[in-house]
Amino acid sequence: MKFRNNFPVRGHHLFLVVVALTFTVLVLWAWENPFLTASQSVQAWYRNSYAGFVVGSTKSSVLPNTVRENVEKTYSNSSIKEEIIQDDANSEITPTDSAFQIVLERSKSNQNTCSYGNGGWVLDNSRPLYSGFGCKRWLSAMWSCRLTQRTDFSYEKYRWVPKDCELPAFERSAFLKRMQDKTIAFIGDSLGRQQFQSLMCMVTGGEERPEVQDVGKEYGLVKAKGAIRPDGWAYRFSNTNTTILYYWSSSLSDLLPLNTSDPATDVAMHLDRPPAFLRKFLHLFDVLVLNTGHHWNRGKMRQNRWVMYTDGVRSELGNLKEIGIAKNFTVHSIVKWLNSQLPSHPRLKVFFRTLSPRHFRNGEWNSGGSCDNTRPLSGGSKVEQNGSSDTVVENAVRGTQVKILDITALSYLRDEAHKSNYSIKGTSSGSDCLHWCLPGIPDTWNEILIAQI
């Protein structure tokens, strides 16, 4: 009789255990699912995702001591947290130097998949891949440091060697053969433009090539009346029908003037819409490389008269912290859209390049900041870490078919390779510690890209 009385009780206990396990699995799934927030309203997404973002450098002398101390405490547990540490009108949303140092000290990943971002820089006297005096047709003179008064070019002589995988030596004819009848598109800001120019110089060997045709008109890339430059460039290697193009989209959001008849009109910045250029020409691309990050600041917003829109209506976002949240929302939004398009474009490979690090010291670009070090690898030569230093891009692509092009940590070690304060005329209005000398670091980005294609 006791057995018959206890059996329902045990069955009830078993039922409770099953319910508890099911609930736990659902909670863990919701926690790990990067797209769960897509079902929320945009405003709820803003409130619940990404509490804050780093602006500028923790080593900058313009930061109050109390702020610097708080930031150091934030990073003391070796976790990658981001905080708003200043409200500078022209500061970019960028991981701090302290954050990068912590990331570089992480232990090596135990995953079996290759991480091209783990490895080290080694001296290679066969570098660079092209002449800094040449490539005049595709390389902007302001980034060709061989044309400036700079005298030290040791930064050109280093090659990136991944720790657990092979990075094949670049060979232009083999690359063009692989890319026969294919189109490679770079869409992003001026760092994306540098990567585009780097690839053009690599593939041509930095020499004039009569078989390279300007096909910008096919993509509407022509210089508008009164413009400094076109919105992009497109070139085709006629021997292999390989097209390489670049389109300027610093925010990766759709920009539409609110009043087309007024030159001074505000511009609707649709955070949840990909650029019209991308939507129009996506079906023509075989390789797509995106980047954004350094234009998400109050100064650029005011300068460009950008007004943020979501769901077709003006957003309530306004302060610097919310600009950071909007940037991250946009990154997630465009990755989600591209992932939804990939089944219809089976030959397309999409890469999101991580943030290119800045190296301003003792101030910002407009407050005396500089990067005058010329000694290579003064901060170390190796990267061993779990995950990417750019957690925004890493989180956005997780669980999608969009691949990460992880260049942040390895580029952070190369503070001597920036354009710095060198210029062609020998006079300088300030230091450029954002853009790189070419030949230079963007060549390595392309080598890693080619290995991943």
Side-chain angles (χ1 to χ4, degrees):
M1 180 67 73
K2 291 182 179 180
F3 173 80
R4 295 171 64 180
N5 288 338
N6 289 338
F7 184 79
V9 174
R10 291 176 180 176
H12 181 65
H13 286 170
L14 180 61
F15 173 77
L16 291 177
V17 169
V18 171
V19 170
L21 287 174
T22 302
F23 178 77
T24 301
V25 170
L26 289 174
V27 170
L28 290 174
W29 173 86
W31 182 265
E32 293 294 334
N33 191 341
F35 298 108
L36 188 61
T37 54
S39 62
Q40 303 174 357
S41 67
V42 172
Q43 284 72 21
W45 195 97
Y46 288 141
R47 288 193 297 270
N48 298 331
S49 301
Y50 301 97
F53 303 92
V54 172
V55 181
S57 168
T58 60
K59 294 182 180 179
S60 173
S61 61
V62 301
L63 299 181
N65 290 333
T66 54
V67 174
R68 186 180 298 109
E69 291 171 359
N70 289 336
V71 171
E72 290 173 354
K73 291 178 181 178
T74 299
Y75 292 110
S76 63
N77 61 357
S78 296
S79 63
I80 303 305
K81 297 180 180 179
E82 296 177 332
E83 299 289 339
I84 292 297
I85 60 174
Q86 71 179 33
D87 185 10
D88 183 83
N90 293 287
S91 292
E92 288 106 6
I93 300 159
T94 308
T96 65
D97 298 335
S98 298
F100 274 117
Q101 188 61 39
I102 290 168
V103 169
L104 295 178
E105 292 173 355
R106 288 176 175 179
S107 62
K108 176 179 171 291
S109 173
N110 292 322
Q111 298 178 355
N112 293 325
T113 57
C114 176
S115 173
Y116 288 95
N118 281 331
W121 291 100
V122 299
L123 185 65
D124 185 347
N125 287 320
S126 68
R127 314 287 277 197
L129 299 174
Y130 52 91
S131 170
F133 292 108
C135 204
K136 295 181 180 179
R137 182 178 175 187
W138 299 284
L139 175 55
S140 296
M142 61 182 174
W143 294 330
S144 180
C145 292
R146 285 277 182 175
L147 301 180
T148 70
Q149 78 275 27
R150 182 166 185 162
T151 58
D152 180 84
F153 302 100
S154 57
Y155 65 88
E156 295 181 347
K157 296 293 185 180
Y158 286 84
R159 173 171 52 89
W160 178 252
V161 180
K163 183 174 180 59
D164 297 316
C165 49
E166 182 181 358
L167 191 60
F170 176 78
E171 206 286 310
R172 59 177 302 271
S173 60
F175 172 76
L176 286 171
K177 186 175 181 180
R178 283 180 58 195
M179 295 295 106
Q180 185 163 352
D181 300 320
K182 298 184 184 300
T183 297
I184 304 171
F186 295 90
I187 297 182
D189 57 24
S190 56
L191 278 304
R193 182 182 166 200
Q194 283 209 300
Q195 190 174 359
F196 158 76
Q197 292 190 1
S198 163
L199 186 59
M200 287 300 302
C201 292
M202 290 168 63
V203 178
T204 60
E207 300 176 2
E208 179 63 36
R209 301 284 177 178
E211 72 273 18
V212 181
Q213 304 170 349
D214 186 338
V215 294
K217 289 184 179 180
E218 295 183 15
Y219 299 89
L221 301 177
V222 294
K223 182 179 176 181
K225 184 178 180 180
I228 299 177
R229 61 179 69 93
D231 289 334
W233 295 265
Y235 297 101
R236 181 167 298 139
F237 294 75
S238 58
N239 293 347
T240 58
N241 193 35
T242 303
T243 303
I244 302 176
L245 68 85
Y246 163 78
Y247 177 75
W248 169 270
S249 179
S250 58
S251 67
L252 297 182
S253 55
D254 200 22
L255 302 176
L256 294 174
L258 295 178
N259 184 355
T260 55
S261 62
D262 180 9
T265 184
D266 286 342
V267 177
M269 182 185 186
H270 293 277
L271 306 180
D272 49 1
R273 299 182 191 172
F277 179 89
L278 179 57
R279 300 197 308 270
K280 182 177 181 179
F281 295 108
L282 182 66
H283 67 286
L284 298 179
F285 302 156
D286 298 276
V287 177
L288 173 62
V289 184
L290 304 172
N291 89 284
T292 189
H294 290 292
H295 281 251
W296 291 87
N297 60 72
R298 181 176 296 172
K300 292 294 184 181
M301 294 287 175
R302 291 172 177 170
Q303 178 183 345
N304 295 314
R305 303 186 68 89
W306 287 342
V307 180
M308 288 184 279
Y309 273 64
T310 53
D311 298 324
V313 297
R314 184 163 180 166
S315 170
E316 297 179 357
L317 300 179
N319 64 39
L320 185 61
K321 178 179 179 180
E322 291 173 331
I323 290 175
I325 296 173
K327 173 249 185 178
N328 290 282
F329 171 76
T330 301
V331 171
H332 278 257
S333 177
I334 194 169
V335 167
K336 183 180 179 182
W337 178 80
L338 282 165
N339 192 56
S340 72
Q341 299 298 307
L342 286 175
S344 302
H345 304 84
R347 75 176 192 275
L348 175 61
K349 296 182 179 180
V350 180
F351 298 86
F352 208 118
R353 181 175 60 69
T354 60
L355 195 68
S356 174
R358 305 155 69 247
H359 288 93
F360 288 98
R361 298 290 184 268
N362 301 316
E364 280 295 321
W365 67 272
N366 58 350
S367 59
S370 63
C371 47
D372 52 7
N373 173 47
T374 58
R375 184 166 65 90
L377 307 174
S378 58
S381 63
K382 295 182 179 180
V383 174
E384 292 186 337
Q385 63 183 44
N386 289 321
S388 173
S389 302
D390 189 339
T391 56
V392 173
V393 172
E394 183 180 45
N395 290 334
V397 304
R398 182 180 290 119
T400 75
Q401 295 301 307
V402 177
K403 301 180 185 299
I404 189 172
L405 179 56
D406 191 10
I407 56 84
T408 306
L410 64 90
S411 302
Y412 182 73
L413 296 175
R414 302 303 307 278
D415 65 308
E416 89 288 2
H418 284 293
K419 183 176 179 291
S420 189
N421 61 342
Y422 302 105
S423 66
I424 295 176
K425 296 181 179 180
T427 58
S428 176
S429 58
S431 291
D432 184 349
C433 305
L434 171 64
H435 298 99
W436 306 92
C437 290
L438 289 175
I441 307 307
D443 303 335
T444 296
W445 304 349
N446 283 321
E447 290 180 286
I448 296 174
L449 170 66
I450 293 167
Q452 291 185 249
I453 294 176

